[in-house]
Amino acid sequence: MSSSTGSSHPHEDLLAHLTRTSPLGPREAARVVAEVLAYFSETTEEYVRRRHGELQARGLTNEKIFARLAEELPARRVAALELSARQLRRIVYG
């Protein structure tokens, strides 16, 4: 996504919308779109590991973390399968 001009960007309609409806310029809009796509392209395992680390750093216990992850996963871009606390632990700890 190095270019934000012309039809070379796969999401040019989204970029045009963002530049029209926000203070973002074309390059900033392209960077924001790239960041959002990268965020939502995480696999379930990558997401669980990242969020576990974030929530653990905030001082939450594993019991609370795994309950929260189980609530968050269905809201992901591509809804994940329902995972038990045991399955979540296996993703984090192997």
Side-chain angles (χ1 to χ4, degrees):
M1 295 188 194
S2 59
S3 174
S4 61
T5 61
S7 62
S8 62
H9 195 284
H11 303 288
E12 77 175 276
D13 58 331
L14 176 58
L15 295 178
H17 174 76
L18 288 173
T19 58
R20 203 174 42 250
T21 61
S22 74
L24 297 175
R27 288 180 191 225
E28 294 168 310
R31 183 179 51 77
V32 168
V33 168
E35 288 292 327
V36 170
L37 290 173
Y39 176 83
F40 283 113
S41 69
E42 286 180 310
T43 65
T44 300
E45 290 81 6
E46 291 167 337
Y47 177 78
V48 167
R49 287 185 188 106
R50 178 179 60 79
R51 283 296 287 154
H52 180 270
E54 291 171 356
L55 296 171
Q56 194 173 47
R58 292 185 197 169
L60 274 71
T61 63
N62 275 344
E63 182 180 346
K64 289 182 180 180
I65 291 171
F66 295 133
R68 187 156 175 184
L69 288 171
E71 290 175 6
E72 292 178 357
L73 283 171
R76 297 290 295 166
R77 182 172 143 246
V78 177
L81 298 173
E82 188 174 323
L83 299 174
S84 68
R86 181 178 181 201
Q87 290 169 309
L88 293 169
R89 279 188 197 90
R90 283 184 174 229
I91 290 172
V92 173
Y93 298 112

